[in-house]
């Protein structure tokens, strides 16, 4: 198995632009998580899905952030419009009951 | 106060030293305790997983949980430069089902030759 796949690995954009991050979870995992990691705040859970259904999105910072999981093998995290304070590394993770597997992350820079 | 507290470091030690990494927490409902290792520009990977209080050993790594003190530790014996990474503790209250751990901020460890 290739593990959790994320794209792009790096994204540099200008303030106000739309950003879409993509994730392919490990086949057979029924839970998917989006995290944001910064030096100041560490690893923050943004949203998680169980069986493609959003269960808890209380970590989504504001309405500019949205996430979808149209099927078991694909999820997106969209930021529109992006702001410089959104600059961070965004991780997707999928899980069995007892272990989360993280993707390599997308390093987002908003200028 | 955050639910899980972890000193960000960095912690710098010579090769061969015994390393002690620690986390404290405030939620007494936590029963499952994990340590993740994160190399630079990579995602976290699970290193150790323990339930309730006690010790668990895996090679050079020992995880220790003291629920009465709400304190967990990860010990690394005979540390190697390849152990240089950020170590995140994580913990949760329920087994199986929805897996939503609460993470510490991570401690950066540098093992120099």
């Amino acid at each position: 198995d290739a593990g959790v796949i994320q794209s792009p690995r790096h994204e540099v954009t200008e303030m106000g632009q739309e950003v879409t991050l993509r994730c392919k979870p490990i086949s057979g995992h029924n839970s998917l998580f989006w995290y944001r990691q910064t030096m100041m705040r560490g690893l923050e859970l943004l949203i998680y899905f169980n069986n493609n259904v959003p269960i808890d999105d209380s970590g989504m910072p504001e309405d500019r952030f949205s996430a979808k999981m149209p099927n078991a093998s694909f999820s997106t995290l969209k930021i529109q419009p992006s702001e410089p304070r959104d600059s961070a590394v965004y991780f997707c993770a999928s899980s069995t009951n007892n272990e989360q597997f993280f993707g390599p992350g997308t390093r987002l820079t908003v200028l | 106060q955050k639910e899980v507290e972890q000193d960000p470091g960095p912690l710098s030690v010579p090769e061969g030293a015994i390393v002690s990494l620690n986390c404290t927490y405030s939620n007494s409902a936590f029963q499952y305790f994990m340590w993740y290792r994160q190399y630079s520009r990579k995602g976290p990977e699970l290193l150790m997983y323990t339930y309730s209080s006690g010790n668990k050993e895996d090679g050079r790594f020992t995880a220790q949980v003291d629920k009465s003190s709400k304190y967990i530790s990860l010990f690394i014996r005979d540390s190697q430069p390849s152990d240089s990474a950020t170590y995140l503790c994580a913990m949760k209250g329920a087994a199986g089902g929805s897996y939503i751990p609460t993470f510490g901020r991570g401690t950066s460890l540098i093992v120099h030759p």
Side-chain angles (χ1 to χ4, degrees), chain A residues 33 37 39 48 97-98 107, chain B residues 38 41 98-100 105:
Chain A
F33 306 80
Q37 187 176 43
M39 290 291 290
Y48 103 92
N97 284 341
N98 290 326
R107 183 172 296 273
Chain B
Q38 184 177 18
R41 299 188 178 270
S98 62
Y99 183 92
I100 314 280
R105 283 181 55 191

Side-chain angles (χ1 to χ4, degrees), chain A residues 47-62:
Chain A
I47 186 171
Y48 103 92
F49 296 84
N50 194 45
N51 293 322
N52 312 339
V53 177
I55 303 300
D56 184 355
D57 65 355
S58 60
M60 297 284 262
E62 47 198 274

Side-chain angles (χ1 to χ4, degrees), chain A residues 32-88:
Chain A
L32 182 140
F33 306 80
W34 283 101
Y35 288 90
R36 176 172 67 179
Q37 187 176 43
T38 61
M39 290 291 290
M40 289 298 296
R41 301 173 68 91
L43 199 62
E44 301 175 279
L45 178 67
L46 300 176
I47 186 171
Y48 103 92
F49 296 84
N50 194 45
N51 293 322
N52 312 339
V53 177
I55 303 300
D56 184 355
D57 65 355
S58 60
M60 297 284 262
E62 47 198 274
D63 291 345
R64 298 185 298 106
F65 285 69
S66 62
K68 293 181 180 179
M69 191 165 186
N71 57 62
S73 59
F74 184 66
S75 178
T76 59
L77 177 68
K78 187 176 292 187
I79 308 173
Q80 166 63 18
S82 58
E83 297 182 2
R85 61 191 168 123
D86 301 330
S87 297

Side-chain angles (χ1 to χ4, degrees), chain A residues 6 33-46 88-93 100 102-103 105, chain B residues 2 4 6 36 38 42-45 86 88-90 101-106:
Chain A
Q6 289 187 249
F33 306 80
W34 283 101
Y35 288 90
R36 176 172 67 179
Q37 187 176 43
T38 61
M39 290 291 290
M40 289 298 296
R41 301 173 68 91
L43 199 62
E44 301 175 279
L45 178 67
L46 300 176
V89 181
Y90 290 80
F91 287 104
C92 175
Q100 282 184 325
F102 284 79
Chain B
K2 287 177 67 72
V4 178
Q6 187 175 11
Y36 283 79
Q38 184 177 18
K42 302 284 188 182
E45 57 178 344
T86 296
L88 298 95
C89 63
T102 300
F103 283 85
R105 283 181 55 191

Side-chain angles (χ1 to χ4, degrees), chain A residues 30-31 33 48 50 95-100, chain B residues 29-34 49-52 67 91-101:
Chain A
N30 61 354
S31 293
F33 306 80
Y48 103 92
N50 194 45
S95 78
T96 59
N97 284 341
N98 290 326
E99 181 175 353
Q100 282 184 325
Chain B
F30 288 142
Q31 296 184 63
Y32 295 83
F33 303 91
M34 290 76 69
Y49 181 100
T50 56
Y51 169 71
S52 196
K67 289 188 70 180
M91 46 199 79
K92 69 174 185 137
S98 62
Y99 183 92
I100 314 280

